[in-house]
Structure formats: C-alpha cells, structure tokens
Amino acid sequence: MVAIKNSLPRRRFDVVIVGAGGSGMRASLQLARAGLSVCVLSKVFPTRSHTVAAQGGIGASLGNMSEDNWEWHFYDTIKGSDWLGDQDAIEFMCREAPNAVYELEHMGMPFDRNADGTIYQRPFGGHTANHGEKPVQRACAAADRTGHALLHTLYQQNVASKTQFFVEWMALDLIRDADGDVLGVTALEMETGDVYILEGKTTLFATGGAGRIFAATTNAFINTGDGLGMAARAGFALQDMEFWQFHPTGVAGAGVLITEGVRGEGGILRNADGERFMERYAPVYKDLAPRDFVSRSMGQEIIEGRGVGPNKDHILLDLSHIGAETIKKRLPSIREIAIRFANVDPIKEPIPVVPTIHYQMGGIPTNVHGQVVGTSKGHKDPVNGFYAVGECSCVSVHGANRLGTNSLLDLVVFGRAAGNHIIRHVKEIKEHKPLPADAADFALSRLDRLEKSSSGEYTQTVAGDIRSTMQQHAGVFRTEKLMAEGVSKIKEVAERVNHVHLKDKSKVFNTARVEALELANMIEVARATMVSAEARKESRGAHAPSEHKQRDDENWLRHTLWHSEGDRLDYKPVQLQPLTVATVPPKPRIF
Ligand SMILES: Cc1cc2nc3c(=O)[nH]c(=O)nc-3n(C[C@H](O)[C@H](O)[C@H](O)COP(=O)(O)OP(=O)(O)OC[C@H]3O[C@@H](n4cnc5c(N)ncnc54)[C@H](O)[C@@H]3O)c2cc1C
C-alpha cells in the first residue's frame, strides 16, 4: 500500500511550536533570535490566545514597593502548592522571576509605574513577606490588562525576529517513530481544510489550558486541551489532573473573571449579612488567602445559607470603599466587565461573584528545561524531540494550587528556558529523522471517520454532557460517591465521542469539523481529571473530598500519572530537594 504521508504536503522547520500564547511566543522568540527556523501554529490570531485575558499581574520579587526577596516567593509558592510542587522547579522559577520581568520591560512591555519610575506592584493572594508575616506587593501589573500588554509585546518582538506564524491552523496529532521520538505534527489549515505534515527536529507544545471541559469557566472558547489530548493519544502520561483551580471571583451567572487584583487593591468579600467572613476563616491573610482556600470558604458560606440573591447562591465583592479614582486608574476593565456582565457599577455597588473554574494545575510532565519526561527510568528520561511549556505542561511549580501571578511568570521563565535548551539540542542535529510510513495515518483515520459519518449525535450535545458531568462531579466540593459516579458517567460520554456526526462536510473554514476535533481532546482531559480525582484519598490544595478532610503526606505526597490506555494510573515522588537552598518541609497550611 502506498504510504498515506506521500500524498500530504510537508513543511520542514528546526522547531514546530503549537500555541501562540505567552509561553509559545516566549519560546519562539528565543529560538528565532538564535537564527533557527521556527513555525508557530495557532487556532486563532496570536494576540487572541487566552494569555491576552490575564488581568492581575506577573509575580516577581522586585521589592519596588515593599521589601521582598526570591526566597520568600519560593516559600509562598511551595506553601500555596500544598507541598505538591517540585521544589527544584519552584526555586528555578522564583530566582529567575526578576530577570524575566526586566526582560519584558526592556522589550517595551508597558507596565504601570511608580513615581520613581519603577514597575508598579500590587498585593496578591498567598504572596507574603517573611513566610506569612504580612502581605507583600509582588504582582507587577499593567493596570488590569497585564496579559494583554505581555502578549502584544511578545508578538511584536516575534514579528521583528521573523518567527513564522501559521494562523488559524489546528494541530491534530503528534508524529512519533518506532523509537518513540517525536518528529512533528499533522495539522489542519482551517481556511482550506487541507491537512499537512509539519516536521520539526523538535516539537514544542504551548497549547494552554482546558477550562472549557467545565460548564462555568473563566476560560476562552479555544481552551479545549488540545495539547493534552494529542499527548495522551500518543501514549504520554498526564500529571496531577485532579487539581483544578476554582477562582473565587467569576461574575455570578456569566463566568467572566474579576481579577484577584481587586482584592489586592483592597476589595472585600461579604456574605448576605454584609459580614467580611474571610476574617473568620483566615485571620491573617483574610481576603488574600490562596484561591483554593477562599473558594472553599465562599462555598461554605453558601451551603450554610449566607449566600446572596434570591437563590442565596453567590457572594458579594465590595470595592466601593477603594474610591472612584483608584478603580478608574488601576481596574478600568473590571469596572467595564461589572457594568456589562453584572449590571452594577463597582464604584457604587458590590459585584456578585461565585467560584468559577479557572486553571489546570496538571498537564504534560516536564523537567525545568521544558523537556517532556517519560514514565520509565524513574520518570526522569526526556523524550527525544518533545517539549511542553505553559498551562498545558506540569513542571510542577503550582502543585495542588497555583498562586495568582505565577502562571504568567511560569510562561516566560520556562518558555525562555525551553528555548535555550532547544537551541543547544538542535545545533547537534544535522538532519531531520526520516518519517515513518504511517506518520499521518492516525490523524487521517480520525478525519475520515468524521467524513464518513452519516448519523449520530451533534458535537455540542456531547460536549455539553462533558461540561455538566465535570461541573457536577469534579467541582469545589467533592465526595467519593460523586467522583465514582463521575468516572462511570464520563466513560459513557467517552463512548459517545467516537460516534458524533459531522453534518456539514464542507472544507473551507468548517468550524463544525474543528469543534468535533476539539471534542476528542476535551474527553481525554475530562477522563484524566475524573479518574485521577477519584483515586486520591486525601485533601490537598484544590482537591478536597469531604470524606478525607486532612492532607495525608505519608501516602499521598506524590504526583499522579494518568495514561489514556485503560485509564491506568501510576505515581511518582514529589521533588522536595530544591537546587541550592534547604528544603521547605511539609507542615500544616494555615492562613
Ligand atoms: C481570564 C483569565 C485571567 C488570568 N489572569 C492571570 C493573571 O493575572 N496572572 C497570571 O499569572 N495568570 C493569569 N491567568 C492564567 C494565565 O493567563 C494562563 O495560564 C496563561 O496565559 C496560559 O498561557 P499559555 O501560553 O499556556 O496558553 P494560551 O495563552 O492559552 O495559548 C494557547 C495557544 O495554543 C493554541 N492552540 C491550542 N490548541 C491548538 C491546536 N490544536 N493547534 C494549534 N494551536 C493550538 C491557541 O490558539 C493559543 O495560541 C489568567 C487566566 C484567565 C483565563
């Protein structure tokens, strides 16, 4: 039989990057500046990637407005992670943070300024001075549009450095050879419906999060976990997928995010009695306790009948006392969102908010160079030719709960580190490895099934059932029964994914085909989440089943690894040894 790949157009690059968010574009910039040929694929125009929506800030211990140092940041991140974060990676990130931010500044990123010209920094949840003594101002901000400023800066620099963008291209599947090495991806050009093979000496995934597997989410429509789906189908494990962050303040009913920066600027959460209830749960950190803790406290208020509104189902975020001037200067987009989505002007009235899915702590396991690591040889052996950075990866700096502002930091620190590592690696490789004869078969067979479908369910009916199952069975409050039911429900939905019907078979800009392909990725992430969550019998960070109220370090201080084939789980130890400093040993997490 003639190999299918021969009939497909092929393009060759030193590096193929899937994803043009902050992490993908930080990596591509490093590579393009070093003179490598780099292509960056994105389902949307680069500056519409979800990074553009980041509001509050990027964390770095610059100490511009209050005393600070990287070791305090390191301590806060470990404690925030509920000790599931790897301390070598956390040290790497917190040490690099000031340089990473100054680099952005020198590229022209328009940060807000203090009177002395330094970068403006605001307080943020879980970020403290001297190991929890008092809040510290560590979040470097460009008003409440930090991600917008960051992404546009990186895009401009990439254009200047001649990075090649493949806009509105969707990667379909990884290409691996018999040695297990990664040789590139198959991809769909949305404009024409044509499929290509993109070969790279190295392939880097920067595909972002998968918040769209939940019904109530702050995430963009494109956040369907494509990188995770492709990795899982190609036989790679997904790490710590039970840990999903609920952001305390999504606009009730709409999901749109109200940044933690609002509480950083002095905003207060109040229950139906007008009480500032966080004082009871977290006497020191109050409204600026980490997100898992604040979300659960809000949930507790609602369960105990102190929720607001006719259904007592939300909480109020009051910032009226901050003053019109600060709101207009520091939080202009928040005011606009509140007026548009909640019909309140926060200068005068509080904003109705509720915990909403925001961020996945888990992802494709990597080391600090961004290399994807396999599950053999103590889970440390890097996969040849495969890197992952940003929200789709799990390095793991966020552990069981991410601190606000540490994601934007993660993107630029590890995007740059991966870029540097690839530069060294690619220089040693003279030629591309030959493609296997069946390089594109898997992706083409998946497309073919959709092409030949003549009956079956609509994609969005099945996607809706994924979202409602996840919302109900993997939410803020988890019980063993809910999660066990969730596992069987999601497996039933997974069966249905294989039989969806693509009614519109047209080629040009067929968004129905794209959505059907996204569905296949969403279900991998949903299964990974449900199965990993059901298995973990303790409360840690964002995962808190009511039967297991305590953290159990003896049995569960370890990372989960989920394999798509047979929903198999295995585990690996947490790296408690930092690179140069002493470990921060596990202790109770109080605020
Ligand atoms: C509303 C909101 C506010 C936030 N605020 C903050 C904040 O203030 N501070 C902070 O630290 N963090 C914040 N976060 C988190 C942070 O913004 C994200 O974790 C981060 O931006 C993700 O960046 P990324 O580079 O990993 O991916 P993204 O920016 O999500 O980009 C993913 C890219 O992958 C592409 N892609 C995906 N699948 C495919 C495919 N199959 N083929 C081709 N391309 C593909 C997309 O087109 C896109 O270009 C916020 C998140 C949200 C949702």
Side-chain angles (χ1 to χ4, degrees):
M1 201 176 88
V2 180
I4 290 177
K5 71 170 165 74
N6 292 334
S7 61
L8 290 183
R10 285 156 68 170
R11 299 275 185 278
R12 274 188 166 174
F13 302 90
D14 289 326
V15 189
V16 174
I17 296 182
V18 185
S23 62
M25 288 211 282
R26 184 63 192 86
S28 62
L29 181 59
Q30 205 70 4
L31 296 162
R33 281 179 172 174
L36 300 187
S37 71
V38 190
C39 84
V40 180
L41 272 67
S42 177
K43 292 197 284 189
V44 294
F45 193 79
T47 50
R48 303 190 78 118
S49 304
H50 188 66
T51 300
V52 81
Q55 301 172 351
I58 173 166
S61 56
L62 307 184
N64 286 349
M65 306 174 68
S66 56
E67 190 194 345
D68 201 4
N69 64 61
W70 75 263
E71 285 186 72
W72 291 349
H73 189 185
F74 167 75
Y75 174 88
D76 291 339
T77 303
I78 295 169
K79 182 175 176 186
S81 83
D82 217 350
W83 274 271
L84 193 74
D86 287 335
Q87 296 192 16
D88 56 345
I90 296 175
E91 177 178 340
F92 187 90
M93 180 177 81
C94 297
R95 262 180 186 279
E96 286 288 314
N99 278 338
V101 167
Y102 289 136
E103 262 184 1
L104 291 169
E105 180 185 38
H106 296 167
M107 286 178 205
M109 179 163 161
F111 284 108
D112 281 8
R113 298 285 165 179
N114 297 312
D116 65 358
T118 55
I119 294 173
Y120 168 73
Q121 298 185 280
R122 57 165 60 110
F124 237 78
H127 290 279
T128 69
N130 203 13
H131 307 168
E133 207 174 80
K134 56 179 184 208
V136 76
Q137 290 181 250
R138 191 179 286 149
C140 311
D144 52 0
R145 300 170 185 142
T146 312
H148 186 277
L150 182 140
L151 201 62
H152 281 258
T153 303
L154 287 175
Y155 180 63
Q156 288 163 3
Q157 294 293 322
N158 269 282
V159 170
S161 303
K162 308 228 172 345
T163 300
Q164 298 182 54
F165 287 100
F166 284 50
V167 177
E168 291 170 337
W169 280 59
M170 181 185 189
L172 302 176
D173 274 300
L174 277 167
I175 298 173
R176 293 183 84 181
D177 67 7
D179 301 327
D181 297 353
V182 169
L183 308 184
V185 293
T186 43
L188 174 82
E189 185 186 27
M190 295 185 200
E191 187 183 348
T192 58
D194 292 338
V195 178
Y196 286 70
I197 286 179
L198 303 177
E199 283 181 77
K201 291 175 183 164
T202 291
T203 301
L204 181 141
F205 273 7
T207 51
R212 280 281 150 185
I213 66 166
F214 286 85
T217 175
T218 67
N219 278 207
F221 282 99
I222 52 170
N223 287 14
T224 49
D226 295 2
L228 282 77
M230 289 186 269
R233 282 194 299 274
F236 295 105
L238 302 182
Q239 181 172 321
D240 294 339
M241 291 304 297
E242 61 272 45
F243 298 103
W244 280 85
Q245 178 162 81
F246 281 78
H247 195 293
T249 57
V251 172
V256 186
L257 182 76
I258 299 293
T259 175
E260 193 170 285
V262 168
R263 281 170 289 138
E265 296 289 346
I268 286 170
L269 292 165
R270 296 189 192 280
N271 62 18
D273 305 330
E275 183 203 6
R276 184 182 187 183
F277 57 89
M278 281 312 299
E279 286 180 333
R280 264 189 285 123
Y281 294 91
V284 180
Y285 290 50
K286 300 190 179 113
D287 300 271
L288 284 176
R291 292 175 180 173
D292 57 333
F293 197 82
V294 178
S295 288
R296 265 198 300 283
S297 308
M298 290 167 75
Q300 199 62 36
E301 291 300 296
I302 292 171
I303 283 180
E304 289 175 10
R306 291 186 293 279
V308 182
N311 301 322
K312 295 179 180 281
D313 59 358
H314 60 264
I315 294 292
L316 294 176
L317 175 60
D318 183 7
L319 52 155
S320 54
H321 54 285
I322 296 177
E325 200 187 328
T326 304
I327 293 176
K328 285 181 187 165
K329 183 169 172 205
R330 302 277 185 221
L331 304 164
S333 302
I334 290 307
R335 182 169 178 230
E336 201 180 309
I337 288 170
I339 292 171
R340 286 197 184 188
F341 291 93
N343 204 20
V344 298
D345 183 347
I347 291 176
K348 297 181 218 129
E349 291 164 277
I351 311 171
V353 292
V354 75
T356 305
I357 267 293
H358 183 58
Y359 184 85
Q360 77 190 31
M361 267 72 73
I364 305 168
T366 71
N367 61 23
V368 293
H369 309 297
Q371 293 177 288
V372 175
V373 289
T375 51
S376 61
K377 291 188 204 144
H379 307 283
K380 287 202 168 136
D381 55 322
V383 178
N384 245 337
F386 191 24
Y387 290 70
V389 288
E391 193 169 336
C392 74
S393 70
C394 182
V395 46
S396 123
V397 282
H398 311 302
N401 173 65
R402 171 175 75 86
L403 291 188
T405 76
N406 270 356
S407 174
L408 290 185
L409 180 61
D410 164 4
L411 310 183
V412 292
V413 166
F414 292 104
R416 179 181 192 277
N420 285 337
H421 199 267
I422 292 171
I423 292 167
R424 292 197 293 275
H425 166 79
V426 164
K427 279 190 178 145
E428 292 163 13
I429 306 173
K430 294 274 172 297
E431 287 182 5
H432 288 75
K433 267 186 105 176
L435 289 177
D438 62 354
D441 285 9
F442 184 48
L444 289 177
S445 68
R446 295 199 305 121
L447 283 168
D448 197 46
R449 199 203 63 68
L450 287 175
E451 247 24 69
K452 296 209 173 105
S453 71
S454 53
S455 64
E457 289 182 276
Y458 286 120
T459 298
Q460 286 313 331
T461 313
V462 183
D465 286 350
I466 294 180
R467 290 190 279 267
S468 59
T469 306
M470 297 312 289
Q471 194 73 26
Q472 229 183 328
H473 295 274
V476 178
F477 282 98
R478 298 178 175 185
T479 67
E480 294 216 325
K481 183 162 172 283
L482 268 177
M483 291 186 287
E485 283 168 8
V487 169
S488 46
K489 273 196 190 172
I490 210 70
K491 285 185 180 173
E492 278 168 34
V493 181
E495 270 307 303
R496 291 162 53 200
V497 170
N498 298 325
H499 304 286
V500 293
H501 172 40
L502 180 68
K503 194 170 161 203
D504 174 4
K505 306 279 201 295
S506 62
K507 290 193 85 180
V508 175
F509 266 116
N510 184 345
T511 49
R513 182 179 290 111
V514 169
E515 286 175 15
L517 292 163
E518 287 174 337
L519 183 71
N521 298 319
M522 288 167 65
I523 193 65
E524 297 288 341
V525 184
R527 275 170 50 222
T529 302
M530 256 346 310
V531 172
S532 306
E534 199 252 347
R536 186 175 280 269
K537 312 285 185 213
E538 64 156 354
S539 276
R540 187 185 294 274
H543 175 71
S546 54
E547 293 85 351
H548 307 282
K549 295 233 179 309
Q550 302 299 322
R551 198 176 75 203
D552 173 3
D553 288 333
E554 201 176 312
N555 296 302
W556 288 101
L557 185 56
R558 52 186 187 160
H559 296 293
T560 306
L561 292 166
W562 171 86
H563 303 259
S564 179
E565 200 176 6
D567 281 313
R568 184 168 58 83
L569 292 176
D570 64 297
Y571 294 90
K572 72 175 181 185
V574 172
Q575 175 57 265
L576 291 173
Q577 193 50 54
L579 297 168
T580 63
V581 291
T583 183
V584 179
K587 55 183 175 184
R589 196 163 157 254
I590 40 174
F591 304 103

